[in-house]
Amino acid sequence: MNKPTAKTLDTKEVQAETEKASSRILDLIALKGQVTRARASLLECSHFKPEGKVHQVHHPWSVYDVSVEDMEKAMARMRKSFPENGWTIVKDGPDESAAKTPTIVANSDDGKLSAEIQLLDERARGKTSVLAVTVVSTCFQSKPET
């Protein structure tokens, strides 16, 4: 099977765009909890050529110290807010795990980004529940540094 060739993009621009989208999603979620502050990082995309030189920006973060009920309301807000803000919901429902975690997956209308939001309800285990968000870019080759 022939692997497609990824577009060549500026890594710093893609990272900035991904982090900006994450920030906009945080605003749309509109929860008043604690937010993890992870930086976006690069992950390899193995289904493109040249192998080992294609990656995507991966930006995971979460909101916690908020009630599960408020997280459920935030998920409901996202069902309305994503389409109003340039995103198409491509999955909305439980994931494939035994926990059947509520999950929303949306792609940006420009095709550059994808976001996954999961409500990880940990009350039964006595742990902190979180609204986990991961924003990823499309796969790309980095422009050579000049």
Side-chain angles (χ1 to χ4, degrees), residues 114-136:
S114 185
E116 178 183 72
I117 302 174
Q118 293 188 301
L119 196 165
L120 304 172
D121 185 348
E122 297 288 342
R123 293 176 293 185
R125 295 186 187 141
K127 297 182 178 181
T128 301
S129 297
V130 300
L131 195 66
V133 179
T134 302
V135 180
V136 296

Side-chain angles (χ1 to χ4, degrees), residues 43-54:
L43 293 179
E44 186 176 332
C45 292
S46 60
H47 53 282
F48 283 91
K49 62 181 182 182
E51 289 186 37
K53 296 189 184 280
V54 179

Side-chain angles (χ1 to χ4, degrees), residues 3-74:
K3 293 182 178 186
T5 301
K7 291 181 181 180
T8 301
L9 302 170
D10 182 278
T11 301
K12 289 179 183 174
E13 287 179 15
V14 177
Q15 285 178 310
E17 187 174 328
T18 304
E19 288 181 354
K20 185 176 178 183
S22 284
S23 181
R24 287 192 309 263
I25 291 169
L26 178 59
D27 291 344
L28 295 173
I29 288 172
L31 287 174
K32 303 289 186 217
Q34 299 295 314
V35 180
T36 59
R37 296 288 178 193
R39 295 288 313 217
S41 60
L42 295 177
L43 293 179
E44 186 176 332
C45 292
S46 60
H47 53 282
F48 283 91
K49 62 181 182 182
E51 289 186 37
K53 296 189 184 280
V54 179
H55 38 263
Q56 68 182 169
V57 175
H58 179 256
H59 191 218
W61 52 274
S62 60
V63 181
Y64 60 99
D65 282 349
V66 180
S67 72
V68 170
E69 291 77 17
D70 285 345
M71 291 180 197
E72 289 169 340
K73 290 176 187 173

Side-chain angles (χ1 to χ4, degrees), residues 79-142:
R79 290 181 183 97
K80 183 174 188 280
S81 296
F82 263 144
E84 292 173 350
N85 288 276
W87 295 81
T88 299
I89 295 174
V90 296
K91 181 180 188 293
D92 185 2
D95 69 4
E96 303 294 322
S97 71
K100 303 292 185 207
T101 302
T103 302
I104 297 172
V105 177
N107 296 331
S108 63
D109 290 343
D110 64 8
K112 294 179 179 180
L113 299 166
S114 185
E116 178 183 72
I117 302 174
Q118 293 188 301
L119 196 165
L120 304 172
D121 185 348
E122 297 288 342
R123 293 176 293 185
R125 295 186 187 141
K127 297 182 178 181
T128 301
S129 297
V130 300
L131 195 66
V133 179
T134 302
V135 180
V136 296
S137 72
T138 188
C139 293
F140 66 98
Q141 294 183 71
S142 293

